Amino acid sequence: HPRVRRQRQMCIRDRYIDYAKGFFMSHIIPTPLFEKTDETKRVFIKSLSLDERNVNGSVKDDFYDFIRKLKLPVGNDVVVSFTHDFSLENEEYRLEVNEKITVYSSGEAGKVFALQTLKQLLFEYGRTIPFIAIKDKPKYKIRGFMLDVGRYFYPVDDVKLFIRKMSLHKLNFLHLHLTEDQGWRVEIYKYPLLTQIGSVRKKTNFNHRQHKGYYTKAQIKSIVKYAHDFGISVMPEFDIPGHSRSALACYNYLGCFERNLPVADHWGVKHDVLCAGKESTYKFVEDIVDELCELFPDKYFHIGGDEVPKHRWHLCPHCQAMMKKLGLNNEDELQCCFMNRINDYCAGKNKQAFMWSWDLKDDKLLSENLGFTKCGDINTGGRPFIDTSSKAYYIDLPYGYISLKDTANHKLYDGNCLGAEATLWTEYVPDMKKADKMTYPRLGAMCETVWRGENSYEQFHNKLDYYYSYLDKNRIGYSKLYFANPNRVLGFLQRIWFEKRQLTWEGLSNILDDLKVKYIAKKNSNL
């Protein structure tokens, strides 16, 4: 293929070459911590297989599927062997290619990442691989991807495909945004209406087509197991107290004024949120947390917390009574107490809870052990956080807002940073084809940063042709460079096209709803 030939020519041109010793550097993404390549010695591979006693079925199938794409037969001419090395950390690995191929690791994750590196070497060099010694480990603990399945539901097979693509980039953390105004996506035995009613919206904005879908508990367990096979942990997000219209549509007593509301069918922030003044709300939330913790055994749990309008709380007698009982000055403090209570409940189940960082006027009451997924320059107060920068890693935004250069040049926020994640909100990403266009090549740039701890657009650009070729071989779609780094005109057009979203945010509906609720509140106060 012309792209592959061009890429290999660039490999020779752009590598650092020590002619005296014959040492080269490969184009592996993300860049290994240490690599020594001797082009003067090579191993020829007629066929290749894994020592299948030491890898799980998902990883084996993924590896064999790739080498078949390379037209490399599965066979026993060269067998990849695995050696346990207790001196290595869980995600650390050594890969040695000489007369044989050997992977050294102490855990399953190290094996997976070593095989992802080997796949790239096979792609770059073909059947004749130079002798290589690689020792590698990540800089950051969390290297994540957030998939919003609340707006648009992605079937199980699509989620598993996302997992394989994450593994390709040595990511280890899947954040599933499961509940939204526009859809509830996970089966809960104690509250069956959440999926019977809450998983279905009658239309999406103005298209008049029903959209529905949810994961059964068995399907969630299948997704989690599949992710674990690839060394990826899974964090569920139960978004509260805002973004809860799908729950309110099922159980109206969860709201401040117990109004009968439909599942939201337009995008945008809704003013009806969970009531923070009723014990029945906390009972509901704790019941949901109980069932989700059974499905998601990993350490982390996300409880949302962003975009919570206080319109209803300000008028709600239950919320006002709760504020008086707790001695609070305003509704922002009430939200802090709400989040703290659920955080404490999660901690009692051995979970580290996270919430979205948001601009509260008064957040001094917020617990210091409640982690942030940090979108902007907000002060985290020393708490642990994951960098989800809205200026670099909100990959649903058009490249006119966040270019490939912006993503590649982003330096992770200072402080108690656990790592970073790319966030794919799906209001305007209804399927895998669109998801790929928005995600790649930006995810390649992010994985370099979060694996190595540093990156720049210049460094990533040197590998870009290779990266595009590798995505082609893996049948992953992407945006071409002129689109990913748009000029001023194209960037302006991308932003203008995206801002048509303002038409779908039901601003007038919110105003009318606010008037209705004010009337109800006034009427009740006069009774």
Side-chain angles (χ1 to χ4, degrees), residues 258-278:
E258 301 190 9
R259 299 195 304 142
N260 293 321
L261 298 165
V263 176
D265 53 27
H266 282 64
W267 309 136
V269 178
K270 310 305 176 188
H271 292 182
D272 285 283
V273 301
L274 297 182
C275 179
K278 298 177 184 176

Side-chain angles (χ1 to χ4, degrees), residues 7 27 29 120 123-124 463-470:
Q7 175 267 318
H27 277 57
I29 294 176
Q120 291 198 49
F123 170 72
E124 182 169 348
K463 296 184 177 183
L464 196 54
D465 274 0
Y466 164 84
Y467 182 56
Y468 278 144
S469 299
Y470 193 55

Side-chain angles (χ1 to χ4, degrees), residues 28-33 136-140 143 408 412 445-456 459-460 463:
I28 297 168
I29 294 176
T31 304
L33 185 67
D136 201 11
K137 67 177 181 178
K139 169 73 173 180
Y140 285 98
R143 307 177 305 283
L412 299 195
M446 190 207 82
C447 84
E448 281 278 357
T449 302
V450 79
W451 183 271
R452 296 169 51 212
E454 61 180 20
N455 192 19
S456 70
Q459 291 173 332
F460 186 68
K463 296 184 177 183

Side-chain angles (χ1 to χ4, degrees), residues 41 88 96 106 114 174 228 242 274 306 319 322 326 382 387 406 411 428 438 446 463 482 494 519:
K41 300 177 182 178
L88 301 176
E96 293 183 358
S106 64
L174 174 62
H228 288 175
L274 297 182
D306 64 322
C319 291
M322 181 67 76
L326 298 175
D387 188 338
D406 294 328
K411 291 179 172 54
Y428 304 97
M438 303 310 292
M446 190 207 82
K463 296 184 177 183
Y482 78 90
Q494 289 176 354
Y519 173 77

Side-chain angles (χ1 to χ4, degrees), residues 113 143-145 166 169-173 232 443 446-447:
F113 299 146
R143 307 177 305 283
F145 187 94
M166 288 174 61
H169 293 77
K170 297 188 175 75
L171 302 184
N172 69 344
F173 191 80
I232 294 171
L443 194 67
M446 190 207 82
C447 84

Side-chain angles (χ1 to χ4, degrees), residues 5-38:
R5 286 200 302 271
R6 185 169 66 254
Q7 175 267 318
R8 286 180 176 167
Q9 290 168 359
M10 290 185 66
C11 286
I12 299 299
R13 185 192 69 191
D14 294 340
R15 286 179 195 153
Y16 168 75
I17 304 176
D18 184 334
Y19 286 102
K21 297 181 180 179
F23 291 144
F24 291 67
M25 293 296 288
S26 71
H27 277 57
I28 297 168
I29 294 176
T31 304
L33 185 67
F34 170 81
E35 175 189 348
K36 184 177 181 181
T37 304
D38 186 352

Side-chain angles (χ1 to χ4, degrees), residues 279-521:
E279 283 301 316
S280 55
T281 299
Y282 295 99
K283 177 65 167 60
F284 169 81
V285 171
E286 289 168 2
D287 288 341
I288 302 298
V289 171
D290 286 344
E291 294 202 30
L292 290 179
C293 285
E294 293 175 0
L295 295 173
F296 296 92
D298 296 314
K299 178 180 179 181
Y300 301 110
F301 195 101
H302 206 292
I303 54 176
D306 64 322
E307 297 178 328
V308 185
K310 308 301 191 299
H311 302 67
R312 306 295 182 257
W313 289 2
H314 185 68
L315 299 171
C316 174
H318 306 287
C319 291
Q320 294 302 309
M322 181 67 76
M323 288 171 57
K324 185 175 181 180
K325 176 183 175 181
L326 298 175
L328 305 178
N329 297 313
N330 54 54
E331 286 77 15
D332 278 352
E333 290 186 0
L334 179 59
Q335 185 180 351
C336 289
C337 291
F338 184 102
M339 304 308 290
N340 286 346
R341 181 166 172 175
I342 306 308
N343 174 56
D344 291 343
Y345 191 79
C346 290
K349 303 183 80 66
N350 296 316
K351 298 290 186 181
Q352 165 67 64
F354 281 89
M355 64 174 290
W356 296 103
S357 60
W358 86 109
D359 189 17
L360 281 174
K361 294 178 182 177
D362 199 341
D363 65 352
K364 64 178 180 293
L365 297 182
L366 197 64
S367 174
E368 291 183 0
N369 67 357
L370 176 54
F372 274 173
T373 39
K374 181 178 175 181
C375 309
D377 295 326
I378 188 170
N379 183 6
T380 62
R383 59 175 49 85
F385 69 89
I386 303 169
D387 188 338
T388 59
S389 170
S390 59
K391 298 177 182 178
Y393 297 148
Y394 266 44
I395 59 175
D396 61 299
L397 294 177
Y399 292 93
Y401 281 117
I402 300 175
S403 68
L404 176 60
K405 287 182 180 179
D406 294 328
T407 302
N409 286 328
H410 177 69
K411 291 179 172 54
L412 299 195
Y413 293 122
D414 293 330
N416 193 12
C417 183
L418 301 175
E421 69 174 28
T423 52
L424 185 65
W425 303 105
T426 61
E427 288 99 331
Y428 304 97
V429 187
D431 51 43
M432 185 66 75
K433 181 178 179 181
K434 179 68 172 179
D436 280 354
K437 292 284 187 182
M438 303 310 292
T439 302
Y440 308 100
R442 286 187 285 205
L443 194 67
M446 190 207 82
C447 84
E448 281 278 357
T449 302
V450 79
W451 183 271
R452 296 169 51 212
E454 61 180 20
N455 192 19
S456 70
Y457 178 69
E458 289 73 21
Q459 291 173 332
F460 186 68
H461 185 265
N462 289 335
K463 296 184 177 183
L464 196 54
D465 274 0
Y466 164 84
Y467 182 56
Y468 278 144
S469 299
Y470 193 55
L471 292 177
D472 283 335
K473 183 56 67 175
N474 284 279
R475 299 170 189 164
I476 298 174
Y478 52 83
S479 289
K480 294 183 179 180
L481 187 57
Y482 78 90
F483 199 82
N485 277 334
N487 59 32
R488 289 186 179 181
V489 174
L490 181 56
F492 175 75
L493 293 175
Q494 289 176 354
R495 295 192 297 272
I496 289 295
W497 179 253
F498 185 73
E499 287 305 326
K500 72 182 186 298
R501 63 182 177 153
Q502 303 297 341
L503 301 173
T504 67
W505 277 35
E506 283 193 315
L508 179 60
S509 178
N510 279 340
I511 293 172
L512 295 176
D513 263 0
D514 289 348
L515 293 174
K516 290 178 185 177
V517 172
K518 286 180 180 178
Y519 173 77
I520 293 171

